Amino acid sequence: EVQLLESGGGLVQPGGSLRLSCTASGFTFSSYAMSWVRQAPGKGLEWVSAISGSGGSTYYADSVKGRFTTSRDNSKNTLYLQMNSLRAEDTAIYYCAKDPSHTSSWFADYWGQGTLVTVSS
Amino acid sequence: DIQMTQSPSSVSASVGDSVTITCRASQTIYTYLHWYQLKSGKAPQLLIYAASRLQSGVPSRFSGSGSGTDFTLTISSLQPEDFATYYCQQSYSPPFTFGPGTKVDI
């Protein structure tokens, strides 16, 4: 059974940093691209970032480019999102999600339950 | 970047009704279009991928169609558990943008 468990969310001040983790199980982690998607309070889904199975390719939304970094440790079956220079508008539930294909289709068939990030002073 | 729009933004319907949601891309995305359902407090669920392919385990009352720039999601015979918000997403080119969502309520 595919399981994705996010952690690392919490309250952080504007300008601060936070690192989210997503621990995966139930599939061969290194074979699949992974994504981060967020939902701000009362808002819709916003695609944040994606990374290929090898970690060699990464993509970012314009809203986070230069501030967020996605990486993965395939030996630990873990996906990361390093968030720097956080802003109030980054407040959201952050989901990690698994690509359905070995060939990086860049959408998601399984999602974690999400972790809440609140940026506030 | 490819912009995604959805219409309507919300729709009121009753159990047993048929509902159609439209998603439009700002440029051709062929069939790199996927639909998700989001319920409050739950993780998103993939319903339709590649514009018209039903994800495993999803009831057959959900169907998708379209190609190029215009796509539709149809829910035939709405069930109580279908009241939720629906999003389209393009995976043709990064950033892999979502539409703004369509809320289906009673």
Side-chain angles (χ1 to χ4, degrees), chain B residues 46-65:
Chain B
L46 177 66
L47 301 174
I48 300 287
Y49 65 97
S52 62
R53 301 186 178 188
L54 189 68
Q55 172 67 359
S56 175
V58 174
S60 59
R61 62 181 179 272
F62 291 93
S63 63
S65 66

Side-chain angles (χ1 to χ4, degrees), chain B residues 2-71:
Chain B
I2 297 174
Q3 310 302 318
M4 307 299 294
T5 58
Q6 286 182 234
S7 61
S9 57
S10 66
V11 58
S12 295
S14 301
V15 172
D17 286 351
S18 177
V19 170
T20 296
I21 299 168
T22 297
C23 176
R24 178 164 290 173
S26 60
Q27 64 185 76
T28 184
I29 55 171
Y30 301 94
T31 57
Y32 293 91
L33 189 284
H34 322 287
W35 291 97
Y36 301 88
Q37 178 192 70
L38 182 59
K39 296 181 181 179
S40 180
K42 292 199 168 185
Q45 180 186 3
L46 177 66
L47 301 174
I48 300 287
Y49 65 97
S52 62
R53 301 186 178 188
L54 189 68
Q55 172 67 359
S56 175
V58 174
S60 59
R61 62 181 179 272
F62 291 93
S63 63
S65 66
S67 66
T69 60
D70 295 322
F71 303 86

Side-chain angles (χ1 to χ4, degrees), chain A residues 15-39:
Chain A
S17 298
L18 209 57
R19 188 177 82 158
L20 305 184
S21 300
C22 171
T23 302
S25 61
F27 63 102
T28 305
F29 183 68
S30 60
S31 294
Y32 294 87
M34 298 291 294
S35 298
W36 289 100
V37 175
R38 68 185 181 184
Q39 183 183 27

